[in-house]
Amino acid sequence: MAHRTKKSGKTKGSLSAILVAILLAGAYYFLFDEQDTTPTRDGLIPVELVKTIDGDTIKIMYEGKETNVRYLLIDTPETNHPRLGKQPFGEEAKRRNQELMNSGKLEIEFDIGQKYDKYDRLLAYIYIDGESVQEKLLSEGLARVAYVYPPNTRHVDEYEKIQNEAKKKGIGIWTLEDYATDRGFDSDTYPIKGNSTSKPSTKNPTKQPSEKFANCTELRKVYPNGVKKGHAAYSEQMDGDKDGVACEPR
């Protein structure tokens, strides 16, 4: 009887060992094979989008509260600025930014300088599924490189390369001559009235819809310094010296 009891103990021990092995194998599968092991870029912080404000600003949940985020190193035209109003390609930039925000996982990246601007907005680089939103907007001609304040300049060289490519292609904001400048976007040269679209004509992408004046006297009442070629009010008939500026002061 003792011999049989010993054999039964060995059998139970073997079954227990097998059961433990199965449990360990299952745990390993659950922890390692089922887990998403896709590499993530260092420094990227997952956040939740609250809403898209415009082409270069969003609202997110950050550290338990709603916070506005201003995109580092780029600037897009305004959509509803208290002083500048609505600018050409502002709505296009906002719509594209919104499309990108709704297309994947949102993450932000900080640079080594200050994290907030004077309006208490976070300053960050923005990514959707690991792809730079700043680079997307620049490559599509919907943003310019701007507000370059060291030491928050980690990606400025790459951004400038992408901007130069968009300039060469003549797309987006670069279809409007002298619209995007180092000082911002020239709303005086390219005003938008009412709810008119900021999309240029497909027949002549360098011009806005025509704004007619009978002569230079009438034009100067609205534009004292005249208008450049590409402006909605420009007319070759009013550009006597063919210098690309109509009705400039004499």
Side-chain angles (χ1 to χ4, degrees):
M1 293 293 294
H3 176 72
R4 288 165 61 183
T5 302
K6 187 175 181 181
K7 183 177 180 180
S8 176
K10 283 184 178 181
T11 301
K12 288 180 180 179
S14 298
L15 289 172
S16 297
I18 292 171
L19 180 61
V20 169
I22 292 171
L23 290 172
L24 288 173
Y28 181 88
Y29 178 82
F30 177 78
L31 291 173
F32 296 99
D33 289 87
E34 285 295 301
Q35 191 174 35
D36 182 9
T37 58
T38 303
T40 58
R41 294 177 53 173
D42 292 340
L44 296 193
I45 305 167
V47 294
E48 178 186 345
L49 177 72
V50 176
K51 70 174 182 177
T52 303
I53 296 174
D54 57 26
D56 53 32
T57 313
I58 56 175
K59 186 185 291 290
I60 64 169
M61 288 299 299
Y62 180 71
E63 295 184 342
K65 65 178 182 179
E66 293 187 359
T67 306
N68 287 351
V69 183
R70 178 64 168 79
Y71 294 11
L72 275 169
L73 298 180
I74 71 164
D75 182 34
T76 62
E78 300 291 346
T79 56
N80 190 27
H81 193 276
R83 179 174 60 84
L84 300 172
K86 182 184 291 187
Q87 297 179 311
F89 291 99
E91 287 295 335
E92 287 86 341
K94 179 179 179 178
R95 285 198 299 268
R96 182 59 174 139
N97 191 29
Q98 198 163 35
E99 287 174 1
L100 292 168
M101 290 301 104
N102 294 328
S103 66
K105 178 183 177 183
L106 173 62
E107 296 172 299
I108 62 174
E109 174 191 23
F110 296 122
D111 212 323
I112 61 174
Q114 66 186 65
K115 286 175 62 176
Y116 290 88
D117 66 7
K118 63 182 179 180
Y119 302 108
D120 203 31
R121 299 176 299 185
L122 277 175
L123 300 171
Y125 303 107
I126 313 300
Y127 298 86
I128 293 292
D129 291 339
E131 299 292 326
S132 170
V133 173
Q134 273 103 322
E135 290 184 6
K136 282 277 189 183
L137 294 172
L138 288 167
S139 69
E140 294 174 16
L142 296 174
R144 68 186 183 97
V145 176
Y147 304 115
V148 181
Y149 301 127
N152 283 346
T153 57
R154 179 177 301 155
H155 302 299
V156 69
D157 290 342
E158 184 61 28
Y159 287 4
E160 286 179 343
K161 289 178 184 176
I162 295 170
Q163 174 181 263
N164 290 337
E165 286 300 313
K167 277 186 182 181
K168 289 178 184 177
K169 293 177 182 177
I171 57 177
I173 60 176
W174 308 111
T175 63
L176 305 180
E177 186 178 1
D178 298 328
Y179 172 51
T181 73
D182 292 338
R183 302 175 306 282
F185 297 98
D186 189 351
S187 299
D188 293 334
T189 301
Y190 298 100
I192 293 181
K193 295 186 176 181
N195 294 321
S196 61
T197 179
S198 60
K199 190 174 182 179
S201 166
T202 54
K203 292 183 179 179
N204 189 348
T206 64
K207 290 188 177 183
Q208 290 289 299
S210 178
E211 184 179 355
K212 298 293 186 182
F213 290 92
N215 51 52
C216 282
T217 301
E218 294 300 315
L219 186 147
R220 290 194 190 105
K221 289 178 181 179
V222 181
Y223 304 106
N225 297 317
V227 294
K228 296 179 181 178
K229 187 175 183 179
H231 189 281
Y234 176 86
S235 168
E236 289 186 358
Q237 286 75 21
M238 297 186 195
D239 185 5
D241 55 6
K242 306 302 179 186
D243 65 347
V245 181
C247 302
E248 67 266 41
R250 299 300 182 186

